[in-house]
Amino acid sequence: MPMPTGPAQQPTAELDARYSSALNSRPGAAGVTAAEWAEALRHLEAAEIFWVSTVRPDGRLHVTPVIAAWHDGALYFSTGPEEQKAKNLTHEAHCALTTGRNALTEGFDVVVEGKAERVTDPAVLEDVISAHEAKYGPHITSPEGTFHGIGDTFRTGGAVVFAVAPTTAYGFGRDNGVYTHTRWVF
């Protein structure tokens, strides 16, 4: 699969009424509709932490938090070359990145499913470094930052960088008891 070369195509969106307020009407829920992809993008661009889910060679799941940046139609994240998620993605590239809120009545959770593609092109890596620096600011750019030096780690191969262009994504909205479950297909 080639690396993403521009903004993701506009996906088709569908509301899953089984898990939305459309079937369990509540005050303010009349006419609930599928969320726009633009709303999901706002959450992907603003989220600081994502949970990446991968599959071990024996079929067991592995879930771990990562930082990630949306750039040119994909989520980019990194890991150490010997970490479990890197090993898992070498065996099985399908994965999911999840972000959102841990609240019952407010927030918007997003799940992005796709295949993780390793990024090795130096020009793309520079773009990904810039996207991470713009998003995480002093966490990356300040000598006191938690991830200071991550750009050099990307450049030298001390971290493996992956791109996940969505094949399917899900949005779970909660607005004071009004629930939406949107599926986007790319």
Side-chain angles (χ1 to χ4, degrees):
M1 178 176 167
M3 295 303 318
T5 57
Q9 65 186 19
Q10 285 301 308
T12 58
E14 56 190 48
L15 180 73
D16 190 333
R18 296 172 301 165
Y19 306 108
S20 300
S21 293
L23 287 183
N24 293 319
S25 192
R26 296 169 188 239
V32 68
T33 60
E36 298 290 329
W37 177 241
E39 181 177 358
L41 280 177
R42 283 191 298 276
H43 290 280
L44 292 173
E45 291 168 346
E48 293 182 342
I49 298 293
F50 293 80
W51 293 86
V52 61
S53 300
T54 60
V55 180
R56 298 172 193 259
D58 65 7
R60 292 180 299 134
L61 292 176
H62 177 72
V63 181
T64 187
V66 295
I67 62 171
W70 179 264
H71 175 70
D72 269 352
L75 273 172
Y76 289 84
F77 70 96
S78 66
T79 186
E82 296 301 317
E83 289 189 36
Q84 188 64 52
K85 57 189 160 293
K87 293 176 183 178
N88 294 348
L89 291 170
T90 299
H91 168 76
E92 172 56 69
H94 289 98
C95 65
L97 287 122
T98 306
T99 193
R101 298 269 321 263
N102 289 324
L104 186 59
T105 60
E106 63 182 12
F108 194 85
D109 302 328
V110 182
V111 178
V112 170
E113 295 179 348
K115 285 179 94 173
E117 298 289 335
R118 187 168 178 182
V119 179
T120 57
D121 181 305
V124 176
L125 285 173
E126 289 303 320
D127 288 345
V128 171
I129 292 166
S130 294
H132 276 73
E133 288 175 347
K135 179 174 184 176
Y136 292 98
H139 294 292
I140 291 176
T141 59
S142 169
E144 293 80 31
T146 304
F147 298 104
H148 183 260
I150 198 170
D152 288 334
T153 305
F154 288 5
R155 289 181 190 101
T156 63
V160 181
V161 178
F162 291 97
V164 178
T167 54
T168 305
Y170 299 90
F172 304 92
R174 295 169 309 288
D175 183 13
N176 205 25
V178 177
Y179 299 93
T180 58
H181 177 182
T182 302
R183 178 178 187 241
W184 297 279
V185 179
F186 294 80

